[in-house]
């Protein structure tokens, strides 16, 4: 028994130290004893795991705080407007119409935000085995967004190599919907959107280019962050939750394809998507 206890002591010590780790102290790693055996390997692996968990919990905490802030702000503004409206006993029909328009606007904004949050959650469990014809999918997106394209009198062109990929039809639809919607939203009246593709070795490279307002170099580095809205978009009074492009990046990570943005302030933007093809 003494011999067994001696051999099991390092494992028992490691087990007890692992029990001390919880959500509140994930940043505290277990001391690695350089024994050159499996115990050292397990300790290193465990430390790597809690580092990843710590980063994940931090991101989720930040996400929830930002989401709460984004929902709290319009609710607070709306409550203030309603309180001011109720105190005025001589409201006219025009005042009622303005109040109704404000309520509708803030309701739409919060509904859009909730929809975006649900998309992030749902993307985790979607099947990814669909055979997808990219240009058929893009045509579907353009059709669904045609009313907004017509409102701005934009021209949309498609050209290039066609290919079929394996993935999630639902998630890829959301990727192209968000990117093309972005190209519409930040475009100029009578502008254009050019969608092209190129087969590069075992990848399909897709370009979505617009003639919009573009963004500066500082904002370019952060456009895929959750809830980040570039200053330029605020100046142009474009409504945005700051979640559309972060959802695209989230899906890109899930489906293992690359996406980047090239943009020149005042001249337009180009999204470049690199999708690996099945061999």
């Amino acid at each position: 028994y003494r011999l067994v206890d001696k051999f099991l002591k390092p494992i028992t010590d490691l087990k007890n130290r692992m029990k001390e780790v919880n959500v509140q102290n994930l940043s505290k790693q277990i001391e690695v004893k350089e024994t050159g055996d499996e115990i050292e390997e397990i300790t290193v692996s465990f430390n790597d795991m809690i580092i990843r968990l710590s980063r994940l919990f931090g991101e989720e905490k930040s996400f929830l705080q930002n989401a709460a802030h984004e929902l709290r702000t319009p609710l607070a503004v709306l409550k203030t407007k309603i309180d001011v409206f109720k105190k005025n006993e001589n409201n006219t029909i025009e005042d009622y119409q303005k109040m109704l328009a404000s309520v509708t606007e803030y309701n739409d904004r919060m509904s859009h935000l909730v929809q975006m949050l649900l998309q992030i959650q749902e993307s985790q469990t979607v099947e990814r085995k669909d055979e997808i014809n990219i240009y058929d999918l893009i045509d579907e997106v353009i059709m669904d967004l045609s009313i907004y394209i017509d409102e701005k009198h934009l021209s949309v062109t498609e050209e290039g190599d066609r290919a079929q990929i394996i993935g999630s039809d639902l998630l890829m639809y959301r990727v192209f919907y968000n990117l093309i919607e972005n190209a519409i939203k930040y475009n100029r009246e009578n502008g254009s959107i050019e969608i092209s593709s190129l087969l590069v070795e075992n990848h399909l490279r897709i370009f979505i280019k617009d003639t919009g307002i573009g963004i500066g170099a500082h904002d370019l580095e952060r456009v895929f962050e959750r809830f980040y809205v570039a200053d330029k978009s605020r100046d142009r009074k474009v409504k945005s939750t700051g979640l559309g492009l972060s959802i695209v990046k989230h899906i890109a990570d899930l489906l293992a394809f690359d996406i980047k943005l090239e943009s020149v302030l005042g001249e337009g933007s180009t999204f470049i998507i690199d999708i690996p093809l099945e061999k």
Side-chain angles (χ1 to χ4, degrees):
Y1 284 115
R2 289 178 182 176
L3 186 60
V4 170
D5 285 344
K6 180 179 179 181
F7 281 118
L8 291 181
K9 188 176 185 305
I11 298 177
T12 303
D13 291 343
L14 179 60
K15 180 191 70 173
N16 292 334
R17 283 181 289 165
M18 285 180 173
K19 284 183 177 180
E20 296 174 359
V21 177
N22 54 51
V23 176
Q24 282 71 39
N25 65 358
L26 281 175
S27 59
K28 183 180 179 181
Q29 298 183 37
I30 295 176
E31 179 186 357
V32 179
K33 296 182 179 180
E34 297 181 1
T35 56
D37 56 14
E38 288 80 2
I39 300 298
E40 180 182 350
E41 291 180 11
I42 293 173
T43 307
V44 171
S45 297
F46 183 79
N47 282 339
D48 289 341
M49 182 187 70
I50 63 174
I51 288 172
R52 291 194 298 271
L53 284 174
S54 178
R55 183 164 56 247
L56 178 62
F57 277 118
E59 290 175 354
E60 291 304 313
K61 181 179 179 181
S62 175
F63 173 67
L64 291 173
Q65 289 174 340
N66 288 333
H69 173 75
E70 291 294 323
L71 286 169
R72 184 172 62 245
T73 300
L75 285 171
V77 173
L78 191 56
K79 183 179 185 303
T80 301
K81 286 178 176 288
I82 292 173
D83 289 342
V84 172
F85 183 81
K86 287 167 64 177
K87 289 178 181 178
N88 186 1
E89 298 179 355
N90 301 311
N91 288 311
T92 64
I93 295 297
E94 185 180 355
D95 293 330
Y96 278 97
Q97 291 174 337
K98 288 181 179 179
M99 188 67 233
L100 183 60
S102 292
V103 171
T104 302
E105 178 185 351
Y106 283 102
N107 177 72
D108 290 345
R109 176 179 171 183
M110 288 184 287
S111 296
H112 184 58
L113 176 59
V114 170
Q115 182 184 13
M116 290 290 195
L117 295 173
L118 288 174
Q119 286 173 15
I120 293 174
Q121 180 62 32
E122 291 170 356
S123 65
Q124 305 285 349
T125 55
V126 170
E127 288 289 331
R128 305 162 198 174
K129 300 177 181 178
D130 302 321
E131 294 183 0
I132 306 166
N133 184 303
I134 290 295
Y135 269 93
D136 287 348
L137 186 64
I138 291 174
D139 286 341
E140 183 183 349
V141 171
I142 291 172
M143 182 67 67
D144 292 343
L145 290 169
S146 60
I147 184 173
Y148 306 109
I149 293 171
D150 294 341
E151 282 179 358
K152 277 196 168 182
H153 309 289
L154 302 174
S155 65
V156 181
T157 59
E158 301 174 62
E159 62 179 9
D161 299 324
R162 294 175 178 266
Q164 193 148 307
I165 67 168
I166 302 298
S168 166
D169 185 81
L170 180 64
L171 294 183
M172 290 307 299
Y173 174 89
R174 180 49 52 192
V175 166
F176 288 110
Y177 187 98
N178 285 1
L179 293 178
I180 295 174
E181 182 188 42
N182 190 87
I184 296 168
K185 189 185 298 183
Y186 297 104
N187 217 319
R188 306 177 188 277
E189 290 283 337
N190 302 304
S192 66
I193 300 172
E194 298 175 7
I195 302 171
S196 58
S197 60
L198 179 67
L199 284 170
V200 183
E201 296 180 351
N202 61 335
H203 285 73
L204 179 66
R205 185 167 296 162
I206 302 171
F207 303 85
I208 300 177
K209 181 179 180 181
D210 66 61
T211 55
I213 60 177
I215 62 175
H218 172 71
D219 293 317
L220 193 62
E221 299 174 357
R222 303 187 59 190
V223 289
F224 292 110
E225 294 179 13
R226 287 174 178 175
F227 298 105
Y228 185 76
V229 180
D231 292 336
K232 194 65 178 178
S233 68
R234 293 195 188 99
D235 295 342
R236 295 301 180 97
K237 298 180 180 180
V238 176
K239 297 176 183 178
S240 174
T241 60
L243 276 173
L245 293 183
S246 70
I247 289 175
V248 171
K249 184 63 172 68
H250 177 67
I251 294 173
D253 292 339
L254 284 177
L255 300 184
F257 66 84
D258 295 325
I259 181 166
K260 64 179 181 179
L261 171 63
E262 296 177 353
S263 185
V264 177
L265 190 61
E267 295 184 16
S269 302
T270 302
F271 284 95
I272 304 170
I273 307 104
D274 254 329
I275 305 174
L277 301 177
E278 291 289 318
K279 293 184 179 179

